[in-house]
Amino acid sequence: MKTIGLLGGMSWESTVSYYQYINRAVGEQLGGLHSARILLASVDFHEVERMQRANDWHAAAQLLGDHATRLETAGADLIVLCTNTMHKIAADIEEKLGIPLIHIVDSTGRAMVDGGWTKVGLLGTRFTMQEDFYVGRLERNFGINVIVPDEYAQKDIHQIIYDELCLGVVSESARQRYVEIIGQLVAEGAGAVIMGCTEIGLLLRAGDVQVPLIDTTRLHAQEAVRIALGGMVPVTSIDGFSD
């Protein structure tokens, strides 16, 4: 079994989910008392969020790149960046590594292709919804037509992520607002909706909406387990579709 390096803390609320999904999958795949070999570097999200607001992605890349190389030095065989948004600087981190960084957009894109979805909605931070590193990669590499909410809805989604979900606050008003926004995406033709922020899975469940919710956290964790176990297919308990 290979050692998985988790680069987390963005926020720690969703990093907990990564740890749970990965260990459960390894245990169910191998049986008995098996659990995953994991190294965790958890950053102070306050610092990262300040860099985001300041548009200082160079500093963010330096910070996360340093933590990633420490994981490699400590014995990690692969790196999982436990956040959607910070994949904006994934290439900068990869340049510093001699081991694979498992890209969350690729894990998600393959699931879209396997599921037969060609037109999907996307929820995430404003960086994820607006910038090419996410939407463009899905469109170019996987042929996915991605629909994003309007500007007003994007503002609400982003605010709820940072002001509530990253702090562990799960409110009914936030859930209803997300459900309303998803309804708009479905009306525009989305056959599924990507939960493109690792915290959104804390808020939404499949029964909340009329289309599949694609949980990027689960898909990312699944890919890490598959590689760590040498290509074995993880159990469906983390198949990427929110329950």
Side-chain angles (χ1 to χ4, degrees), residues 8-29:
M10 299 166 281
S11 68
W12 71 263
E13 292 283 349
S14 61
T15 303
V16 171
S17 298
Y18 273 94
Y19 190 79
Q20 290 176 330
Y21 293 152
I22 290 171
N23 276 295
R24 286 172 181 165
V26 168
E28 291 177 12
Q29 185 67 58

Side-chain angles (χ1 to χ4, degrees), residues 80-210:
V80 174
L81 180 57
C82 303
T83 161
N84 283 270
T85 297
M86 299 312 293
H87 276 75
K88 176 180 170 70
I89 56 172
D92 299 295
I93 297 172
E94 285 178 307
E95 288 181 356
K96 298 186 176 185
L97 295 172
I99 57 177
L101 183 148
I102 311 306
H103 203 294
I104 198 168
V105 175
D106 295 343
S107 302
T108 302
R110 282 189 286 270
M112 298 295 93
V113 172
D114 291 345
W117 288 289
T118 58
K119 189 172 185 179
V120 300
L122 172 65
L123 305 182
T125 67
R126 62 181 175 86
F127 309 107
T128 298
M129 292 184 287
Q130 294 176 3
E131 300 190 29
D132 183 72
F133 77 92
Y134 207 97
V135 174
R137 192 175 180 115
L138 283 172
E139 292 178 341
R140 288 190 301 271
N141 294 359
F142 301 96
I144 306 298
N145 182 1
V146 181
I147 308 170
V148 296
D150 61 37
E151 184 176 349
Y152 180 69
Q154 286 187 26
K155 180 180 179 181
D156 287 347
I157 294 167
H158 185 90
Q159 183 175 359
I160 288 169
I161 289 169
Y162 282 87
D163 292 350
E164 297 186 28
L165 300 179
C166 287
L167 298 174
V169 177
V170 178
S171 68
E172 184 59 29
S173 60
R175 179 179 291 108
Q176 289 305 315
R177 179 56 177 142
Y178 273 43
V179 168
E180 177 186 0
I181 293 168
I182 290 172
Q184 295 169 353
L185 295 174
V186 172
E188 294 179 40
V193 172
I194 299 170
M195 296 192 291
C197 174
T198 52
E199 282 81 22
I200 295 177
L202 304 173
L203 180 67
L204 295 176
R205 294 292 180 267
D208 293 332
V209 297
Q210 58 185 327

Side-chain angles (χ1 to χ4, degrees), residues 46 48-57 126-127 158:
H46 174 78
V48 175
E49 191 273 337
R50 287 180 63 186
M51 294 171 185
Q52 291 175 343
R53 280 192 290 115
N55 203 33
D56 193 352
W57 299 99
R126 62 181 175 86
F127 309 107
H158 185 90

Side-chain angles (χ1 to χ4, degrees), residues 1-6 17-40 77-78 80 221 224-229 238:
M1 185 195 312
K2 295 180 179 179
T3 299
I4 300 170
L6 297 181
S17 298
Y18 273 94
Y19 190 79
Q20 290 176 330
Y21 293 152
I22 290 171
N23 276 295
R24 286 172 181 165
V26 168
E28 291 177 12
Q29 185 67 58
L30 300 182
L33 296 176
H34 281 287
S35 57
R37 292 175 179 165
I38 292 175
L39 295 171
L40 170 63
D77 298 302
L78 61 145
V80 174
V225 172
R226 184 186 68 80
I227 293 171
L229 296 183
I238 58 164

